[in-house]
Amino acid sequence: MQLSNEEEDYNLSLSKFESMLKTNKVLFFDSEEFEEIILHYLDMGKSALAKKALKLALEQHPRSSGLKLVQVEMLIYDDKLEIAEKLLNELFAIEPTNEEIYIQKANICSKRDQHEKAVEMLKIALQYTDDYADVYNLIGMEYLFMDNLELAKENFIKCLEEDFEDQSALYNVVYCFEFLDQNEEAIAYLNKYINKNPYSEIAWHQLGRLYYGIKEYESAIRAFDYATLIDEEFLGAFMEKAKALERLKKYDLAIESYNRTLELDDATSYALLRIGKCYEKLGNKVLALKYFNKTVHQDPLLDKGWIAITDFYVRQKNYQKALFFVNKAIAIDNQNKLYWKRFAAINKQMNLFEEAEFGYRKAVEFGDYQLDTWLFWVDILQFLGEFESAIQTLLQASEYFPEENEVEYRLAGLYFMISDNIKAKFHLSNALRLNPENYILLEDLFPVVWEKKMVRNYIDKHNKQ
């Protein structure tokens, strides 16, 4: 690919400058060359070289307002706002119609969290600039900082009207629409945008994402197809397309799309996992397992991979294998509540109740406060005859689920089991108030309690009220 004359000149300037640094010879550059060199180093994150270039530049061109504005930019970057402001005021006295002065004043205001004042400065800059797109984009960003998404969106749209190839503005417009929960409006806007700029792979990709969000999967796939036609290496579009194909249960095509992402970049654990899931849906257990194993090999810390293998074996009722893999997962991350819950469930299936109780206890300890976890744990404690521990666990659960009839029925049953009839009746009354028809729980979980005539009479009396 041939370079343009401008690019050749730019590269020559950089080479010449770096050669000068190595030889300590002072060479002459015009002020615009220096500006490009300094901005190049800033973009590369090489601030020391940028400062060195600025120092030489100002020695050669002490009156250059362009270089002084670059100096201001660097001062703001270093949080030397007072010095930058003083220099800007000096420049303003000489060039009051230079839009860059107002842009940098806005930058200082923004750094001070004075975003409304920054917008005022940028609106003045609009009066003097030729680059409306850039200024509208900056105004949009200030409104984002103020959480005014409507005005931010409005300015990003104005930016795109001036320069419809500004990708950051396009992403920001879509972000604003989504944040405002205006998906339909976003789709309408993107379709209109695509009519003007049909070869924007970003627009097609964003359109696909939005269709996916409202479950219009066929439309999403069509949009992703256009994105990948324009850019055959658009990894994100292939990934999103695969997800939409999965939703439509087109698993073979989804696998193709996921495999394309593997061709484009290093294998990701997410793609490997999804391929495994697709093969499982197709009934190909051998390939499903192969890809689940690849997933955990690729990323041993991805819990979804270990869970996929464990659940695969649970569905096959191969509990020994399932336990083997969940133990491997716990050895890697012994504070993962999802692993412990599966550990408990598998041991329960194998009638290893003490191990199951331990698993549910650990799951709760590491933050699993779901109702079913508490109830499974309590039912096992009851089965083991640990009624006091079961009661304490349920009281703890009731802090998270204060109006849950399943907790109250169990508390009633357990208090009856330890002959604390006053507390038992209190919780039974609560349970019947919350769900009078679910008293069958007592019969299922506490047959000894259910046989008591006093309990049956209490329930009948309550239900007749």
Side-chain angles (χ1 to χ4, degrees):
M1 189 178 80
Q2 286 191 326
L3 294 173
S4 67
N5 289 337
E6 279 185 14
E7 285 174 313
E8 281 186 5
D9 290 345
Y10 174 66
N11 288 337
L12 279 169
S13 296
L14 273 175
S15 300
K16 183 177 155 188
F17 180 77
E18 287 178 3
S19 170
M20 181 184 79
L21 291 179
K22 286 173 188 172
T23 59
N24 287 326
K25 288 180 183 176
V26 178
L27 303 174
F28 181 82
F29 297 83
D30 67 38
S31 61
E32 287 184 3
E33 277 184 296
F34 265 126
E35 281 182 49
E36 286 179 353
I37 290 165
I38 296 161
L39 293 172
H40 165 79
Y41 287 130
L42 284 177
D43 290 341
M44 297 286 288
K46 297 179 177 178
S47 59
L49 281 171
K51 286 173 184 175
K52 193 173 279 191
L54 178 65
K55 183 174 179 294
L56 288 165
L58 289 170
E59 284 171 6
Q60 291 188 11
H61 305 279
R63 296 179 183 277
S64 167
S65 58
L67 286 169
K68 285 180 179 177
L69 281 165
V70 172
Q71 185 181 13
V72 165
E73 198 173 328
M74 289 175 69
L75 287 165
I76 294 169
Y77 180 80
D78 289 337
D79 281 328
K80 295 177 179 176
L81 304 185
E82 285 76 16
I83 303 168
E85 198 168 34
K86 186 182 174 189
L87 189 49
L88 275 176
N89 289 334
E90 289 171 10
L91 288 167
F92 175 75
I94 303 163
E95 294 184 38
T97 60
N98 185 329
E99 80 275 13
E100 191 61 34
I101 291 170
Y102 297 99
I103 289 169
Q104 293 305 333
K105 278 179 177 279
N107 200 354
I108 290 171
C109 293
S110 188
K111 279 255 187 177
R112 290 171 171 161
D113 289 330
Q114 298 169 342
H115 300 296
E116 286 181 10
K117 198 171 175 185
V119 169
E120 285 174 29
M121 291 294 118
L122 291 167
K123 284 181 177 176
I124 298 170
L126 275 176
Q127 298 169 28
Y128 302 115
T129 190
D130 292 326
D131 189 355
Y132 293 103
D134 185 47
V135 180
Y136 281 127
N137 199 16
L138 291 169
I139 293 172
M141 290 306 298
E142 291 304 319
Y143 280 123
L144 272 187
F145 294 140
M146 289 189 272
D147 291 327
N148 190 330
L149 277 293
E150 276 293 350
L151 284 176
K153 180 183 74 178
E154 190 181 299
N155 280 278
F156 290 131
I157 288 171
K158 285 179 182 176
C159 169
L160 286 165
E161 284 167 0
E162 296 292 332
D163 176 10
F164 60 64
E165 291 188 354
D166 189 320
Q167 292 184 0
S168 70
L170 183 59
Y171 278 119
N172 283 327
V173 165
V174 175
Y175 169 79
C176 292
F177 275 119
E178 287 188 292
F179 193 88
L180 293 163
D181 202 18
Q182 298 173 348
N183 282 19
E184 298 284 356
E185 293 91 332
I187 287 168
Y189 174 79
L190 282 173
N191 277 313
K192 193 172 155 189
Y193 175 89
I194 284 166
N195 285 337
K196 291 182 186 175
N197 188 13
Y199 297 107
S200 169
E201 71 275 22
I202 303 296
W204 282 113
H205 177 242
Q206 293 298 304
L207 183 62
R209 280 184 57 257
L210 289 160
Y211 276 129
Y212 184 92
I214 60 169
K215 300 183 180 179
E216 289 190 22
Y217 302 120
E218 295 282 5
S219 297
I221 290 163
R222 190 167 57 251
F224 293 134
D225 274 336
Y226 278 115
T228 56
L229 279 170
I230 296 161
D231 180 356
E232 293 178 355
E233 297 187 354
F234 198 154
L235 190 145
F238 281 111
M239 188 72 82
E240 301 278 359
K241 178 185 168 184
K243 284 164 61 180
L245 286 163
E246 265 197 88
R247 292 288 185 176
L248 293 172
K249 300 184 178 178
K250 296 181 178 179
Y251 301 115
D252 284 317
L253 292 172
I255 289 167
E256 270 182 43
S257 202
Y258 283 127
N259 274 324
R260 184 75 181 108
T261 70
L262 301 182
E263 290 166 15
L264 291 170
D265 200 1
D266 292 337
T268 66
S269 53
Y270 177 81
L272 293 168
L273 175 64
R274 295 318 311 170
I275 292 170
K277 294 270 189 186
C278 288
Y279 276 124
E280 189 175 10
K281 294 283 186 184
L282 290 167
N284 192 331
K285 293 173 185 175
V286 173
L287 282 176
L289 197 53
K290 177 185 172 183
Y291 276 90
F292 292 151
N293 277 303
K294 280 186 174 185
T295 302
V296 295
H297 180 74
Q298 175 70 23
D299 184 1
L301 295 177
L302 180 73
D303 55 15
K304 287 179 181 176
W306 292 106
I307 287 164
I309 296 180
T310 304
D311 289 354
F312 174 86
Y313 281 117
V314 167
R315 283 190 286 274
Q316 311 308 311
K317 296 190 170 20
N318 189 339
Y319 300 117
Q320 287 288 357
K321 276 271 191 183
L323 189 60
F324 170 77
F325 279 102
V326 85
N327 277 326
K328 281 188 80 169
I330 288 168
I332 292 167
D333 178 5
N334 68 357
Q335 295 187 10
N336 189 308
K337 60 188 179 185
L338 300 172
Y339 296 162
W340 282 113
K341 189 168 184 174
R342 277 163 175 77
F343 172 88
I346 294 161
N347 277 294
K348 185 181 170 189
Q349 285 290 344
M350 296 168 73
N351 294 326
L352 300 170
F353 296 107
E354 288 186 2
E355 290 84 347
E357 186 276 324
F358 177 73
Y360 286 123
R361 178 154 35 100
K362 297 300 277 186
V364 170
E365 183 184 327
F366 293 121
D368 183 347
Y369 305 130
Q370 291 185 354
L371 179 62
D372 68 332
T373 308
W374 290 105
L375 298 183
F376 286 141
W377 183 14
V378 165
D379 291 347
I380 286 175
L381 284 168
Q382 182 205 332
F383 179 82
L384 293 170
E386 297 182 23
F387 301 137
E388 291 286 356
S389 293
I391 288 168
Q392 291 309 311
T393 300
L394 277 172
L395 291 173
Q396 201 180 342
S398 68
E399 293 175 19
Y400 297 92
F401 302 96
E403 294 285 285
E404 178 49 60
N405 75 89
E406 290 206 37
V407 171
E408 294 296 324
Y409 277 116
R410 281 173 171 80
L411 277 168
L414 286 162
Y415 277 121
F416 277 125
M417 291 294 287
I418 62 168
S419 302
D420 190 336
N421 291 346
I422 294 171
K423 285 181 181 175
K425 286 177 181 177
F426 170 78
H427 287 289
L428 183 55
S429 177
N430 278 344
L432 290 164
R433 173 179 58 82
L434 293 164
N435 188 340
E437 294 172 8
N438 208 18
Y439 63 82
I440 198 76
L441 267 177
L442 283 178
E443 186 179 359
D444 290 343
L445 297 173
F446 303 92
V448 174
V449 171
W450 181 252
E451 290 300 318
K452 291 185 179 181
K453 196 172 180 182
M454 171 191 67
V455 173
R456 305 273 279 277
N457 288 341
Y458 190 87
I459 293 169
D460 290 339
K461 186 181 173 185
H462 187 282
N463 286 346
K464 282 175 185 173
Q465 288 176 357

